[in-house]
C-alpha cells in the first residue's frame, strides 16, 4: 500500500501521507486553526 | 426510427464554449426520491442539470449526497447560488461550487425579496462582474428587464436568464414581449429560467426564440414527474421548431381556408 495519497485541495493537487491529520494538513498549508478558522464541508444537493 | 422531431433543422445549443443538443435544462430539487428524479431527468432529455451547494449534514446517511445518484460524467452539472441574498454570499457559494465541482459554470442567483424571490439586480451585477473576472462562466438569473440584461451581458455573463414568472409559481410566461426584446437585443444566449408550470408554457416560451429553458418545480411537483418531464421535452422541441418555422401573421378577421369559388348554386 502506498504511504501517500493524492488529494485535491482548493483545486490544487497535493500529495500527503496516509495518516495525516486535519490539523497537520492545515499546518502544512500554513493555516493555523488556533486562530479560529472555520472549515466548511459542502456537497451538492437537489436544487433548481 | 425517424420522427418529425428528428427533422427539425437546428444548430446545437452553445453556451460558455460548450455545446449541447437539448435546449431544456432541469433542476434536481423537490423530488420525493432520487429514483423518480433520475427517471424524470432521463425522460426530459436534459444534458444540463442544476444542483445546489449546501453544508454536508454530518449525521447524514452514506448515500444521501446527490452525486451518489447523479453521474457527473453523464450530465453537465450546473451549480447554483440559490438561497443567497447578497453578492458576497453568492460569490462564496460560486467559489465553493467550483472547488467541489466539475466546471467553472455557475447559475448565479442573488435574491432580493423573500416573498417573490425576485432578483436583487444590483447585487447580481456586482457578483457577476467579480465572478467573470475570476474566470467563471456566469449564467445570471434575472428578471425580464432589458436594461439589466444588457448590463449583465456587458459584465461578461455567458448567458442571461430572465424569468418567465416567479420561481416555483408555475404561472407560465407572463411577459412574452419583454423576453422577446431581451432575446432580440442580446448577443449571448438567453435562457428562460423559472415560472414554467406545464408543457404549453415551455412551448410558448421557446416560441419566443430564446435559446433554452430551465425548469425544476414544474416537473418535480407534477403528479407524475416522469410523464411531465417527457411532456416538457416534447414541448421544448415543438416550441423551438415552431419558432424556426416562423408563425403565420396574426389577422383580426377570418380568412377561409377552403376555396370560395366553385360553390353549388
Amino acid at each position: 500500500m502506498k504511504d501517500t495519497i493524492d488529494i485535491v485541495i482548493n483545486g490544487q493537487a497535493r500529495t500527503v501521507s496516509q495518516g495525516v491529520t486535519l490539523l497537520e494538513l492545515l499546518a502544512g498549508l500554513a493555516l493555523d486553526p488556533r486562530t479560529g478558522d472555520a472549515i466548511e464541508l459542502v456537497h451538492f444537493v437537489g436544487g433548481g | 426510427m425517424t420522427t418529425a422531431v428528428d427533422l427539425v433543422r437546428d444548430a446545437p445549443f452553445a453556451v460558455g464554449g460548450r455545446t449541447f443538443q437539448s435546449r431544456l435544462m432541469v433542476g434536481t430539487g423537490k423530488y420525493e426520491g432520487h429514483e423518480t428524479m433520475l427517471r424524470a431527468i432521463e425522460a426530459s432529455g436534459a444534458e444540463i442539470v442544476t444542483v445546489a451547494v449546501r453544508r454536508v449534514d454530518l449525521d447524514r446517511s452514506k448515500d444521501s449526497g446527490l452525486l451518489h445518484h447523479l453521474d457527473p460524467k453523464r450530465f453537465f452539472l450546473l451549480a447554483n447560488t440559490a438561497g443567497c441574498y447578497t453578492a458576497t454570499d453568492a460569490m462564496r457559494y460560486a467559489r465553493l461550487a467550483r472547488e467541489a465541482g466539475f466546471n467553472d459554470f455557475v447559475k448565479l442567483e442573488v435574491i432580493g425579496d423573500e416573498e417573490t424571490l425576485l432578483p436583487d439586480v444590483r447585487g447580481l451585477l456586482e457578483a457577476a462582474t467579480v465572478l467573470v473576472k475570476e474566470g467563471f462562466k456566469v449564467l445570471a438569473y434575472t428578471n425580464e428587464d432589458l436594461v439589466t440584461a444588457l448590463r449583465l451581458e456587458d459584465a461578461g455573463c455567458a448567458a442571461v436568464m430572465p424569468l418567465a414568472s416567479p420561481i416555483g409559481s408555475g404561472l407560465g410566461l407572463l411577459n412574452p414581449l419583454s423576453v422577446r426584446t431581451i432575446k432580440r437585443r442580446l448577443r449571448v444566449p438567453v435562457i428562460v429560467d423559472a415560472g414554467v408550470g406545464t408543457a404549453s408554457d415551455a412551448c410558448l416560451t421557446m416560441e419566443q426564440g430564446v435559446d433554452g429553458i430551465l425548469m425544476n418545480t414544474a416537473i418535480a411537483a407534477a403528479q407524475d414527474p416522469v410523464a411531465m418531464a417527457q411532456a416538457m421535452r416534447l414541448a421544448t422541441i415543438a416550441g423551438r421548431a415552431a419558432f424556426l418555422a416562423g408563425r403565420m401573421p396574426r389577422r383580426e378577421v377570418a380568412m377561409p381556408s377552403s376555396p370560395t369559388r366553385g360553390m353549388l348554386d
Side-chain angles (χ1 to χ4, degrees), chain B residues 103-123:
Chain B
N103 57 63
D104 49 10
F105 283 59
V106 63
K107 187 190 131 180
L108 182 64
E109 293 185 27
V110 181
I111 302 300
D113 177 62
E114 275 185 44
E115 185 198 54
T116 60
L117 298 179
L118 288 172
D120 175 343
V121 296
R122 191 170 58 182

Side-chain angles (χ1 to χ4, degrees), chain B residues 2-265:
Chain B
T2 301
T3 67
V5 166
D6 296 326
L7 299 177
V8 176
R9 292 182 193 280
D10 196 4
F13 166 50
V15 59
R18 303 280 302 244
T19 57
F20 302 92
Q21 297 305 311
S22 175
R23 291 177 180 274
L24 171 60
M25 287 142 266
V26 297
T28 52
K30 298 185 189 170
Y31 282 96
E32 283 182 7
H34 283 126
E35 196 202 340
T36 306
M37 177 194 78
L38 275 177
R39 288 177 53 222
I41 294 172
E42 295 274 352
S44 76
E47 297 160 276
I48 300 177
V49 173
T50 62
V51 295
V53 181
R54 291 293 179 270
R55 277 181 169 162
V56 172
D57 175 2
L58 299 180
D59 300 321
R60 75 199 186 288
S61 65
K62 199 179 169 190
D63 64 349
S64 66
L66 192 67
L67 294 189
H68 194 84
H69 304 273
L70 205 60
D71 182 1
K73 292 190 198 73
R74 186 137 177 247
F75 299 104
F76 186 88
L77 297 185
L78 174 61
N80 68 26
T81 62
C84 293
Y85 279 78
T86 65
T88 306
D89 271 356
M91 290 188 286
R92 185 177 180 218
Y93 275 70
R95 291 165 187 147
L96 283 169
R98 181 158 71 174
E99 297 304 334
F102 308 92
N103 57 63
D104 49 10
F105 283 59
V106 63
K107 187 190 131 180
L108 182 64
E109 293 185 27
V110 181
I111 302 300
D113 177 62
E114 275 185 44
E115 185 198 54
T116 60
L117 298 179
L118 288 172
D120 175 343
V121 296
R122 191 170 58 182
L124 181 67
L125 275 163
E126 183 189 333
T129 304
V130 173
L131 291 172
V132 166
K133 285 186 182 140
E134 292 180 8
F136 281 91
K137 306 274 171 44
V138 176
L139 287 68
Y141 165 71
T142 182
N143 57 32
E144 71 272 65
D145 176 60
L146 170 66
V147 178
T148 304
L150 289 168
R151 298 281 180 278
L152 288 165
E153 181 177 72
D154 289 344
C157 287
V160 173
M161 310 180 85
L163 51 81
S165 50
I167 295 170
S169 70
L171 291 174
L173 184 62
L174 294 182
N175 207 332
L177 174 63
S178 296
V179 166
R180 220 160 45 234
T181 305
I182 289 172
K183 174 55 199 166
R184 179 164 54 78
R185 292 287 301 278
L186 266 61
R187 294 179 304 277
V188 296
V190 174
I191 302 163
V192 169
D193 176 18
V196 166
T198 187
S200 56
D201 298 333
C203 191
L204 182 66
T205 299
M206 291 307 295
E207 284 175 12
Q208 311 309 312
V210 296
D211 299 273
I213 187 167
L214 197 162
M215 64 184 71
N216 187 156
T217 311
I219 296 174
Q223 290 188 29
D224 183 342
V226 180
M228 184 58 88
Q230 186 176 32
M232 291 299 189
R233 179 178 76 83
L234 295 169
T236 302
I237 292 169
R240 179 68 182 170
F243 168 73
L244 293 172
R247 60 155 295 141
M248 62 163 280
R250 287 183 167 83
R251 298 170 57 91
E252 298 277 312
V253 292
M255 187 166 65
S257 307
S258 307
T260 50
R261 296 180 61 182
M263 300 296 290
L264 304 180
D265 289 332

